[in-house]
């Protein structure tokens, strides 16, 4: 995997660093799940951020997708090296994540089912059966869509200090169907705005 900064990694970093697990799930479901293996220009990726921000739900998600915990970043640090705390706290984070892993498939499936339902509803609105992405804007890459309407796209390194001040989070309660619909609708609206700008 190439080491390269990208909008989708910025979105992923923001979701992990702020403990927004539902947005993290939406990112993974609405894109290729392989994004969890991507690495930024400094060699770090989602697994590093899960440890750095002490996010057990994100850690569980990345474990579910078999993201490596032994690969090193540009400075030779493996993901767990970014964890700041005692050995006992690190062990607790891992144990917490391990208890959440069995529930991950159901959460991913819930998002996937709702996302597919939204796609079908969009296609049904048009006689020619235009698919969800094509209806939004031909050639628009949904991976570049920001989930936060109030923030411009930034490299995750620029936000690192602010996110650290926010403290560790990591709630993983599943969203309701209405919440999922709202999240996907926001994704669509943002993509449409990108089309209008073009």
């Amino acid at each position: 995997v190439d080491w390269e900064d990208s909008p989708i990694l910025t979105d992923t970093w923001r979701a992990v660093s702020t403990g927004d697990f539902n947005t993290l799930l939406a990112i993974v479901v609405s894109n290729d799940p392989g994004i969890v293996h991507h690495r930024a220009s400094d060699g770090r990726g989602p697994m590093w951020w899960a440890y750095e921000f002490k996010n057990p739900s994100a850690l569980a998600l990345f474990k579910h997708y078999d993201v490596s915990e032994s690969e090193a970043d540009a400075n030779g640090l493996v993901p767990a090296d970014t964890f700041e705390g005692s050995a006992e706290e690190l062990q607790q984070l891992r144990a917490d994540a391990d208890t959440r892993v069995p529930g991950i498939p159901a959460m991913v499936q819930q998002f996937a089912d709702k996302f597919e339902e939204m796609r079908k509803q969009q296609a049904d609105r048009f006689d020619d059966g235009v698919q969800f992405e094509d209806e939004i804007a031909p050639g628009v890459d949904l991976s570049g869509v920001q989930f936060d309407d109030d923030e411009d796209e930034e490299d995750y390194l620029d936000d690192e200090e602010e996110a650290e001040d926010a403290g560790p989070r990591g709630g993983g309660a599943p969203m309701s169907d209405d919440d999922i619909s709202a999240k996907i609708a926001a994704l669509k609206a943002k993509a449409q705005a990108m089309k209008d700008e073009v």
Side-chain angles (χ1 to χ4, degrees), residues 12-173:
T12 303
W13 175 86
R14 185 175 289 117
V16 174
S17 66
T18 61
D20 189 351
F21 185 67
N22 291 317
T23 291
L24 181 60
L25 271 179
I27 291 171
V28 172
V29 169
S30 62
N31 294 274
D32 180 353
I35 62 171
V36 297
H37 297 277
H38 289 190
R39 309 272 287 276
S41 58
D42 61 0
R44 294 189 181 183
M47 186 63 84
W48 279 260
W49 306 329
Y51 276 104
E52 179 181 1
F53 296 103
K54 304 176 182 179
N55 189 326
S57 294
L59 184 56
L61 180 66
F62 304 145
K63 282 175 174 285
H64 168 72
Y65 284 109
D66 295 321
V67 180
S68 175
E69 296 189 52
S70 60
E71 294 183 6
D73 66 10
N75 295 317
L77 300 177
V78 298
D81 291 336
T82 63
F83 179 87
E84 294 185 1
S86 67
E88 291 76 15
E89 290 171 329
L90 175 59
Q91 183 177 4
Q92 181 57 49
L93 174 67
R94 285 173 165 160
D96 192 358
D98 287 343
T99 63
R100 299 180 190 214
V101 171
I104 294 296
M107 292 182 186
V108 170
Q109 190 61 52
Q110 179 189 23
F111 264 84
D113 290 346
K114 195 64 180 178
F115 188 69
E116 183 60 25
E117 179 183 337
M118 293 288 289
R119 288 168 58 97
K120 289 179 179 178
Q121 289 175 354
Q122 283 300 123
D124 289 344
R125 292 182 184 180
F126 295 87
D127 293 336
D128 59 2
V130 175
Q131 294 299 311
F132 177 61
E133 293 91 346
D134 294 334
E135 176 207 340
I136 292 173
V140 170
D141 181 2
L142 292 180
S143 67
V145 176
Q146 295 289 331
F147 288 89
D148 189 340
D149 293 333
D150 297 327
E151 290 186 300
D152 293 328
E153 176 186 326
E154 303 173 20
D155 187 273
Y156 81 91
L157 292 174
D158 295 335
D159 290 333
E160 207 162 27
E161 182 176 348
E162 178 182 342
E164 286 177 353
D165 292 339
R169 301 186 188 92

